[in-house]
Amino acid sequence: MTAQDVHRRMALAHTTADELLAAHPGAHVHVTGALAHGLAHARSDVDLHLVTPDTPPPVTAVRRDGIRIDITATTTTAFDDARSLLGSFDLPIVGDVPALREVRSRMGELTRLRTALRLDGRGIRTPVLTAPEKAVYAQWALADRLQEAITVTEDLAGLLHSGQVHAASVTVAQLGIVIAQAEAVAAGQPLLGPKWLPALRGLAATPPTGPQPLPPLADTGPATGYWGFADIQHRLLKTLFACWGTPPGPAEPLPGLMRSFGWLPIACNEGFAAQFGDDVLALSGGQLLTWATRAPAPTAGR
């Protein structure tokens, strides 16, 4: 990434936005994605989003100066609908969770909103979201990454239980990326593609720390799957505290079931919980504190 890459693409974004605003009176144009967040490389595209008061034009793309400019479009109503999801975090601990399902299915759309800068046709760009909306985005994006970590961890546990250590090693690498994404989100960054993780960590006011990627599994049998899982728990608990704050004490004992491999933290309307696969255990703030300061050494059983 160089400043020249960013400057060149942002200039093209402004030029194209001016043309779109002239062709669509009453519309807004946003530059979104990595470029809007100040990131680009020598062959990256420009993403523009057109918001129109009526039926939007077809999705299109143009090339200028050898650079592809992707233009997506939506109506003001659809834009406001997506933005409304960033009004509050709403995730119950039990039962079906349609809110999380909807938000996860629209995370790309919400990330586009999180990064969006409005181009006014006079060379000025301003953030679309407010600070409170960005904070709610961070909570939803972290919830998305925690759910992904839970899914990957369940796969990892199943592979190790079956003795498929080579496949588990691939899953470990995947889990490392998910954890790094969670840490970037908790540090105030948007949920961009994995290739931007090193840059996002550098942009964070308080860069995430800790091992990255996770240590590889040694090909010595299923028992290797219980390597350092407490470190994974600690890293994700830190992301939870970054987005929701550290709960007040005093510390309380953890449920005995959580001594098994695979449990990871989540946040919900009722507070906090631990989840492994489809199993969920509600936790008090005191129990979460105990987990963060003394994560139990996982055992081979669930």
Side-chain angles (χ1 to χ4, degrees):
M1 176 187 69
T2 66
Q4 183 179 7
D5 292 328
V6 173
H7 178 76
R8 182 183 176 197
R9 284 158 176 76
M10 194 60 76
L12 291 175
H14 278 290
T15 299
T16 308
D18 293 349
E19 295 174 357
L20 288 170
L21 290 171
H24 302 281
H28 300 296
V29 178
H30 306 149
V31 58
T32 66
L35 177 61
H37 205 61
L39 303 174
H41 59 71
R43 296 188 63 83
S44 57
D45 300 334
V46 175
D47 293 317
L48 294 182
H49 192 56
L50 176 67
V51 183
T52 63
D54 46 23
T55 304
V59 173
T60 186
V62 297
R63 291 192 71 85
R64 286 187 165 165
D65 197 17
I67 295 173
R68 179 185 173 95
I69 302 174
D70 286 312
I71 304 168
T72 57
T74 191
T75 64
T76 303
T77 300
F79 175 84
D80 291 341
D81 174 65
R83 190 170 186 172
S84 70
L85 293 172
L86 300 179
S88 64
F89 180 81
D90 181 21
L91 181 59
I93 192 172
V94 296
D96 191 24
V97 284
L100 182 58
R101 293 175 192 272
E102 179 179 6
V103 169
R104 293 198 72 192
S105 70
R106 301 176 71 176
M107 189 52 63
E109 185 179 0
L110 295 180
T111 297
R112 183 168 59 205
L113 255 176
R114 165 62 180 83
T115 58
L117 299 175
R118 180 177 172 181
L119 307 182
D120 70 349
R122 298 187 300 274
I124 297 175
R125 51 185 185 268
T126 54
V128 171
L129 294 187
T130 64
E133 287 172 323
K134 290 180 180 179
V136 174
Y137 167 85
Q139 292 178 332
W140 279 122
L142 180 57
D144 171 84
R145 291 298 83 192
L146 291 175
Q147 286 298 316
E148 186 66 18
I150 288 164
T151 298
V152 175
T153 296
E154 186 174 26
D155 287 337
L156 178 59
L159 289 167
L160 291 166
H161 187 74
S162 300
Q164 301 179 54
V165 179
H166 288 301
S169 296
V170 176
T171 306
V172 167
Q174 182 183 0
L175 181 58
I177 290 173
V178 174
I179 293 172
Q181 288 175 320
E183 290 172 331
V185 165
Q189 304 304 308
L191 187 56
L192 299 177
K195 67 174 176 286
W196 297 115
L197 278 171
L200 291 174
R201 292 168 74 90
L203 288 174
T206 53
T209 58
Q212 183 190 11
L214 299 178
L217 290 173
D219 189 7
T220 56
T224 60
Y226 309 107
W227 95 119
F229 195 74
D231 178 65
I232 294 172
Q233 294 169 326
H234 277 299
R235 289 174 68 181
L236 291 180
L237 282 161
K238 286 175 66 176
T239 68
L240 211 64
F241 292 159
C243 284
W244 276 273
T246 304
E252 300 175 47
L254 286 167
L257 182 61
M258 285 180 58
R259 294 194 62 82
S260 61
F261 171 88
W263 291 92
L264 293 177
I266 60 171
C268 50
N269 293 351
E270 294 81 1
F272 303 100
Q275 185 171 345
F276 180 25
D278 294 328
D279 297 331
V280 180
L281 291 173
L283 297 178
S284 67
Q287 289 173 317
L288 202 70
L289 279 176
T290 298
W291 197 8
T293 56
R294 194 182 69 255
T299 61
R302 178 165 173 168

